[in-house]
């Protein structure tokens, strides 16, 4: 009967090569003889090693998937230190993530061409610019493609050559002692920095990097409705990568400047309107110079009380990428005169005589008139 190689590693039949490798590494760390001297663990380690050897080989795995066993009938040599297993190289690969020169475990050199990094620039916008949208012409300092070698990094018709230090592998290895014995470790090659190749005759302008730093002007379209801290993404306008790699993105961050009249709260705008006492009593009309709609009349009804708020719907900021708009909220500040001449004082006294039912009094905290006031007071005290 064919052995259950998938079951030995604890993976399903659809497991990828990376999933097989992770499962083997985990079990190898638990069962390796230098870590777990138990005889049962050593026997289990041999079985796990055999299972990984079989499933890591595409042809042997195909036989397993067809219901056969590639190690039967003289397939032999299975298990730890067997002829069919990669030996100590696979053990090191399980513990330390790869060995150059071992089948399936070698790291590929990263190559010279790498993607570029993203960049960030901030721009100041007025409230009006945030409301209507604007195209900002910005100066950015980023890495751009070298115009002499066009990213190749070489001078003239010269070509990159294989790195002599790492022989093109992009990494170098060293042997160190540990509790497991001698351990082989890898690190990026210091000569080629992991690229696997060097440039003996580099470009005179970029020094072999394939890119140079330059200051350039760009036009950044800012949509209507942006707010402080939002970022607009400009694709492929960031840093060009080493070796002329694809440029990253440029992000333009909005810094919204305070407005003299309006305070922004999301899509709504707030302003304060000072109303003389007489106008609050009789009613009046005030013209507000709004951001998008120009001069707009604000009707103040007769008998308006201090602290009232008048709402003008759809007179606020536009919602980003939407046709809707927020509201404009006018907070009324009723101004009581502090200095009156004799004639004005006499007129007010006559008016008071006509309103003998209007008297100063202490109101109940539970009255409808004071409910809003005391709610604000409680919120103020609790916020201390």
């Amino acid at each position: 009967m064919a052995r259950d190689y998938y079951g030995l590693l604890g993976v399903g039949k659809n497991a990828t090569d990376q999933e097989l490798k992770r499962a083997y590494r985990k079990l190898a760390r638990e069962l390796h003889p230098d870590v777990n001297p138990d005889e049962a663990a050593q026997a289990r380690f041999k079985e796990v090693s055999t299972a990984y050897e079989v499933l890591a080989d595409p042809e042997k795995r195909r036989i397993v998937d067809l219901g056969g066993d590639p190690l039967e009938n003289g397939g032999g040599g299975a298990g730890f230190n067997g002829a069919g297993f990669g030996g100590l190289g696979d053990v090191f690969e399980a513990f330390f993530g790869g060995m150059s020169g071992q089948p399936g475990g070698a790291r590929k050199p990263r190559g010279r061409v790498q993607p570029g990094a993203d960049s960030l620039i901030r721009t100041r916008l007025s409230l009006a610019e945030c409301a209507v949208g604007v195209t900002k012409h910005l100066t950015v300092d980023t890495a751009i493609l070298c115009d002499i070698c066009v990213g190749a990094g070489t001078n003239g018709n010269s070509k990159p050559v294989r790195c002599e230090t790492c022989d093109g592998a992009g990494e170098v290895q060293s042997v160190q002692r540990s509790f497991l014995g001698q351990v082989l470790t890898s690190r990026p090659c210091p000569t080629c920095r992991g690229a696997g190749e060097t440039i003996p005759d580099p470009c005179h302008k970029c020094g072999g990097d394939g890119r140079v730093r330059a200051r350039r002007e760009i036009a950044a379209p800012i949509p209507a409705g942006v707010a402080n801290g939002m970022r607009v993404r400009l694709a492929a306008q960031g840093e060009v990568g080493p070796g002329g790699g694809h440029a990253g993105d440029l992000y333009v961050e909005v810094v919204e400047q305070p407005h003299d009249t309006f305070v922004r709260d999301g899509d709504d705008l707030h302003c304060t309107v000072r109303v003389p006492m007489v106008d609050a009593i009789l009613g009046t009309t005030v013209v507000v110079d709004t951001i998008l709609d120009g001069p707009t009349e604000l009707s103040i009804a007769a008998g308006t009380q201090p602290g009232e708020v008048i709402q003008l719907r759809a007179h606020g900021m536009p919602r980003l990428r939407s046709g809707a708009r927020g509201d404009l909220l006018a907070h009324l500040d009723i101004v009581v005169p502090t200095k009156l001449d004799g004639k004005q004082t006499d007129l007010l006294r006559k008016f008071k005589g006509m309103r003998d039912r209007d008297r100063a009094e202490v109101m109940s905290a539970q009255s409808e008139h004071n409910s809003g006031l005391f709610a604000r007071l409680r919120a103020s005290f609790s916020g201390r």
Side-chain angles (χ1 to χ4, degrees):
M1 181 177 178
R3 279 170 287 189
D4 184 7
Y5 293 107
Y6 291 102
L8 289 171
L9 287 178
V11 298
K13 291 187 176 181
N14 295 325
T16 64
D17 291 343
Q18 289 299 321
E19 290 172 339
L20 290 173
K21 185 176 294 185
R22 283 196 296 268
Y24 173 64
R25 288 177 180 173
K26 180 180 178 181
L27 292 170
R29 291 189 182 101
E30 297 174 359
L31 303 172
H32 190 274
D34 288 338
V35 178
N36 193 338
D38 183 71
E39 293 184 1
Q42 295 181 24
R44 171 81 170 131
F45 179 74
K46 292 180 180 180
E47 292 178 342
V48 167
S49 301
T50 301
Y52 179 69
E53 174 216 356
V54 170
L55 296 179
D57 186 308
E59 181 58 27
K60 292 179 181 179
R61 184 172 181 177
R62 186 183 68 83
I63 296 174
V64 172
D65 291 340
L66 291 175
D69 190 335
L71 299 184
E72 290 182 352
N73 301 324
F80 182 56
N81 284 338
F85 194 68
L88 287 176
D90 290 285
V91 177
F92 285 127
E93 191 272 342
F95 274 86
F96 303 103
M99 277 186 56
S100 181
Q102 292 295 332
R107 295 178 183 148
K108 294 181 180 179
R110 67 178 181 87
R112 290 185 52 255
V113 181
Q114 296 293 312
D118 295 335
S119 299
L120 174 67
I121 188 172
R122 294 178 175 86
T123 183
R124 297 176 180 270
L125 296 182
S126 66
L127 186 62
E129 290 176 321
C130 291
V132 301
V134 66
T135 297
K136 297 290 288 186
H137 295 276
L138 306 173
T139 301
V140 296
D141 187 358
T142 61
I144 64 172
L145 192 69
C146 176
D147 59 344
I148 301 298
C149 66
V150 198
T154 56
N155 181 38
N157 295 324
S158 64
K159 300 291 183 182
V161 298
R162 181 187 294 268
C163 176
E164 295 181 355
T165 302
C166 65
D167 196 27
E171 61 182 19
V172 292
Q173 299 175 343
S174 60
V175 178
Q176 299 175 340
R177 292 184 177 276
S178 75
F179 71 96
L180 292 175
Q182 290 185 337
V183 178
L184 183 66
T185 59
S186 300
R187 60 185 177 86
C189 174
T191 302
C192 65
R193 298 180 181 179
E197 59 184 19
T198 58
I199 300 177
D201 186 13
C203 171
H204 298 314
K205 184 172 184 178
C206 67
D209 195 31
R211 57 181 183 167
V212 294
R213 298 206 70 81
R215 182 165 293 179
R216 56 196 174 96
E217 301 289 328
I218 64 167
I222 310 295
V226 295
N228 187 61
M230 288 186 177
R231 293 181 177 181
V232 178
R233 173 176 170 266
L234 303 180
Q237 292 292 329
E239 299 273 345
V240 168
H246 187 272
D249 298 331
L250 174 66
Y251 290 88
V252 181
E253 184 173 299
V254 173
V255 180
E256 184 179 299
Q257 300 301 288
H259 194 270
D260 290 337
T261 302
F262 300 105
V263 175
R264 183 175 183 177
D265 180 18
D267 299 324
D268 295 333
L269 294 176
H270 297 257
C271 68
T272 299
V273 178
R274 300 191 70 190
V275 183
M277 179 188 70
V278 176
D279 288 336
I281 295 172
L282 302 177
T284 188
T285 299
V286 178
V287 176
V288 180
D289 192 9
T290 61
I291 297 292
L292 292 174
D293 304 294
T296 301
E297 287 190 351
L298 183 70
S299 296
I300 300 174
T304 294
Q305 300 298 306
E308 286 192 16
V309 178
I310 299 177
Q311 183 178 24
L312 293 180
R313 295 192 177 278
H315 278 68
M317 297 292 288
R319 292 190 176 93
L320 192 62
R321 298 183 178 88
S322 170
R325 288 175 58 184
D327 300 329
L328 173 62
L329 296 102
H331 300 256
L332 303 184
D333 179 17
I334 308 302
V335 181
V336 178
T338 57
K339 294 182 180 180
L340 299 173
D341 59 26
K343 184 176 181 180
Q344 292 169 340
T345 301
D346 290 339
L347 288 173
L348 284 176
R349 283 178 177 155
K350 290 180 181 178
F351 174 73
K352 180 181 179 181
M354 299 176 190
R355 303 277 298 182
D356 56 355
R357 62 182 179 180
D358 292 341
R359 298 180 184 277
E361 60 180 315
V362 178
M363 300 295 293
S364 168
Q366 306 304 321
S367 68
E368 180 180 352
H369 178 77
N370 274 343
S371 60
L373 170 63
F374 277 91
R376 291 195 295 272
L377 287 174
R378 280 193 293 268
S380 175
F381 286 122
S382 64
R384 289 184 177 179

